[in-house]
Every structure is written in C-alpha cells, then in structure tokens.
Amino acid sequence: MTEPEVDYTAVFRALPGAVALVTPQLIYADVNAEFSRIRGETRERLVGRFLPEDRHENDPAGPLLPKILTSLRRVVDTGERETVALQRYDVEDPEQPGVRQERYLDLTNVPVFGPDGRVALLLQRVEDVTELICAREVALTFQEAMLPAPRPVGRHPAAVRYRPAAEALNVAGDWYDLVDLPGDRIAVTVGDVVGHGLPAACVMGQLRSALTAASLVADGPGRALEVLGMYARTIDGAENTTVATAFIDWETGTITYSSAGHPPPALLHRDRTVEFLDQATDPPLAARPQHAPRIQAAAAFREGAVLALYTDGLIERRREDIDTGLARLADSLARHQADAPEALADAVLTDLLPAGTATDDTALVIVRL
C-alpha cells in the first residue's frame, strides 16, 4: 500500500497552536496563522525578520524579547529544548479601548536537527495559558485554606513551609500536618497526592483530615496509615498518594514512623550526622490489589536533634539520582543545625530550591526535638 503524500507545509500552517520556525541566526523562517494572530502581524511581515529587531510600540510580547533571545541562543548552543519561564504581559481589550487585560504566555523552544546533526532550525511554540493560570490561583487558594496555619504544637518549636512550583500551571496535592497527641507526643505528617489542580487539592483535604483523626486514636503511625489506606480506597483520585508520618515521643526519646511510598524523614543528630528513616516503607496508598497492614519502625533521638519531613519536590530533579538530592538535603541540615526551626526551614529551601527554580510543589516540616 502506497503511503499518502503529506503536505507538511500545509500541516504546519494549519496547526491550532502558535508555532514559528527560526534559523540559528535568529531570523523567522516561517510562522503559522495562529502565531501571526497572537503577534498581531501578517506572515509576510514576520518571515525574514531578524528577531533582535522584532519589536514595535504596541507589541505585548516586547518586554519578553530579551529572555526569548537568550533561550533561543542557548538551544542553538546545547541542542536541548528549553521552556521560557511563564511570563505575564498585558494587552488592550479589543472591546474596551484603553483597558488592558492581564495575560500569560508559555514559550517552548525546540531544536530541529539537520542531516549533519547540527541545529538547522528552532521551532518556537507559544501558548496563551491565562485561563490555566486563573484555575491555578483558585486551586492554590483552596489548597492553602485546607492546610493548617502555623501554630505551636505542644511545647516544642516547629516550622512549616509550602512552596508552589515556580513555573507549573497547576498546583499539586502536597500537604503537611502536626497533631497534638496524649502525653508529651505529637504526630507529624507530609503527603503528596498524584495529580494537579483543584481535584488534587480536594483529595488532599480529605486525606489530611482523615489521617488527623486516625492519628488521635491509633496506637502508632503504622495503624494510622493502615486506616488511611482503607479510606483512600473509597476516594477517586486518592490511589498512589504517598505519605510519611512520625509519632514523636519526648518521654521515651523515640520517633516511631511509617511511610507509604514517601521519601524518608531526615533525623539530624546533635553530632551533625543525618539518619534517613527508611526502615518502614510500604507501597503508596491504595496501590496494592488488596488491603494489608502497614509496617512501622522506631529511631532514638536526644534533645537538640532535628526532624525534617518533606515532599519529593524538595529533593528530586530531572536526570538526577534521588540519592544526590538526599545528600544535598543532609548537607544543608548539617550546615544549619544551630538555627531555630524557622530559620532552618528557610535555609533548607534556599539551598535546595533557589528562587524561581522549583519545578514541583514542596512541603516541608522542621521540628526541634
């Protein structure tokens, strides 16, 4: 059977997304109809134009040009695709002259290689993601309302942090919690729901509340997660949620902990060594075909130690082994050991998530033991 001949030029120009082809010399080689519409320029006026000169008085994307040029040049040099950080720009409302609307652009630059293996063209995709940003703000507001406000827990100092991803269009389902238990004990929890946006935030709220209640009556973290796992099977979207919870008992000097597929809590001892509590890790919630009891383990601590629980956004990076992220966390905790919990939490975030670089949501809890 003869394969049909494809007119790729016609396909390119009919693409529903805004796409441009740029030469390594930063000259527009071609643009499709949607790109022309977003730019407010005809194809004839754009093709052949040198990008560094590509701005006019009313161009809403004009202020973004330096970042776009830097990204394009980097893609030429590295041969790797790159996304320009989410950018805001304002345009005049066509129905209300003089009134400007807030809009957001997401730009991706992709290398197209020639027969010699060198970058022959750059494909630039531009997407107006304003509606997604508005939905993100709604989900983020809801999520923050569901998380407990920072407050003293028992008589022991603690700090909590939640940082949404810098460039992601949807918030994730990360959460934390601290619960007073009978005696000189508290329960500390962090969790991460699979998925993004308002649905994940809703699931997060249900699971956090259920685990709080279970922790108050369970005889240990393993049993609390077992109850939570049974509840998770009744909630759409709760499957494969990861959770780590630790019961801290100052009377016995022990931390009893259990993990449902979550990164291990970090225990910073007074000698600056860091012990990752990884001896009680089971699969995520509702991941097994059948329900099963959860395991738990215990670790001893001395007064002055620090316990850190966190979600994977703090330590995981693309193309990097997770052990590298754990080592980075251990180093940061050790270097800032003397800091109070609030300062220590800020230092860890600064060390591991430089401003504007977080690609995933992050929750962090620091407790001085």
Side-chain angles (χ1 to χ4, degrees):
M1 181 176 177
T2 304
E3 293 185 1
E5 185 175 343
V6 179
D7 186 343
Y8 288 101
T9 300
V11 171
F12 172 79
R13 293 181 181 170
L15 288 172
V19 180
L21 291 175
V22 181
T23 71
Q25 293 75 37
L26 304 185
I27 295 173
Y28 283 119
D30 203 353
V31 300
N32 71 349
E34 182 63 13
F35 190 92
S36 295
R37 186 192 68 80
I38 286 182
R39 290 301 316 279
E41 293 271 18
T42 65
R43 174 179 176 274
E44 289 71 24
R45 287 181 59 85
L46 286 170
V47 172
R49 181 183 293 178
F50 186 41
L51 264 71
E53 299 173 351
D54 180 27
R55 68 173 72 202
H56 56 77
E57 184 178 355
N58 297 319
D59 186 356
L64 309 183
L65 186 59
K67 293 183 178 180
I68 295 172
L69 294 175
T70 298
S71 174
L72 287 168
R73 290 181 176 120
R74 193 154 45 229
V75 173
V76 172
D77 292 339
T78 65
E80 296 183 0
R81 72 164 57 202
E82 182 173 301
T83 298
V84 179
L86 195 66
Q87 298 292 328
R88 171 182 170 177
Y89 72 102
D90 297 329
V91 297
E92 186 174 66
D93 187 335
E95 298 181 359
Q96 302 180 69
V99 177
R100 302 189 72 80
Q101 296 179 327
E102 181 180 302
R103 311 297 293 177
Y104 290 87
L105 278 180
D106 184 47
L107 299 97
T108 303
N109 297 316
V110 182
V112 179
F113 298 97
D116 60 357
R118 302 176 65 180
V119 176
L121 287 171
L122 300 160
L123 187 147
Q124 182 179 89
R125 180 187 62 82
V126 181
E127 184 177 4
D128 189 323
V129 293
T130 305
E131 292 185 5
L132 288 175
I133 290 297
C134 292
R136 179 185 190 273
E137 291 303 314
V138 171
L140 182 57
T141 300
F142 179 82
Q143 184 179 36
E144 291 178 341
M146 294 295 295
L147 292 174
R151 58 182 175 80
V153 179
R155 62 182 180 85
H156 306 284
V160 296
R161 295 289 186 273
Y162 171 72
R163 180 181 286 185
E167 299 177 11
L169 300 182
N170 283 311
V171 296
D174 295 26
W175 92 84
Y176 59 81
D177 204 4
L178 297 97
V179 181
D180 279 312
L181 300 177
D184 195 8
R185 301 187 304 147
I186 66 171
V188 187
T189 298
V190 292
D192 188 356
V193 174
V194 175
H196 297 85
L198 195 55
C202 291
V203 172
M204 175 274 291
Q206 295 177 81
L207 294 179
R208 188 191 70 81
S209 298
L211 185 55
T212 298
S215 297
L216 289 170
V217 297
D219 59 5
R223 179 57 178 164
L225 285 188
E226 182 182 345
V227 172
L228 184 66
M230 289 188 286
Y231 179 61
R233 292 178 180 274
T234 71
I235 303 174
D236 290 339
E239 60 275 3
N240 293 314
T241 293
T242 67
V243 189
T245 185
F247 285 19
I248 307 172
D249 188 334
W250 276 270
E251 293 180 357
T252 62
T254 58
I255 300 169
T256 308
Y257 62 94
S258 185
S259 173
H262 201 81
L267 177 58
L268 172 64
H269 294 286
R270 295 195 305 179
D271 63 358
R272 297 182 183 271
T273 61
V274 174
E275 176 185 0
F276 286 102
L277 307 183
D278 57 3
Q279 300 303 302
T281 300
D282 275 336
L285 300 181
R288 291 184 172 117
Q290 301 294 327
H291 176 74
R294 295 274 172 179
I295 61 174
Q296 64 183 39
F301 69 87
R302 296 176 63 188
E303 184 177 354
V306 171
L307 181 66
L309 283 80
Y310 51 92
T311 53
D312 58 7
L314 185 69
I315 59 168
E316 291 187 354
R317 301 291 179 272
R318 295 187 182 94
R319 306 184 188 91
E320 182 180 272
D321 189 273
I322 191 172
D323 288 340
T324 302
L326 292 173
R328 193 162 40 234
L329 172 60
D331 175 71
S332 179
L333 289 170
R335 285 189 291 107
H336 302 287
Q337 181 193 40
D339 293 352
E342 293 290 340
L344 179 55
D346 289 338
V348 168
L349 289 180
T350 299
D351 287 348
L352 274 69
L353 301 177
T357 65
T359 58
D360 192 8
D361 290 23
T362 298
L364 172 66
V365 181
I366 298 286
V367 181
R368 176 70 69 179
L369 303 175

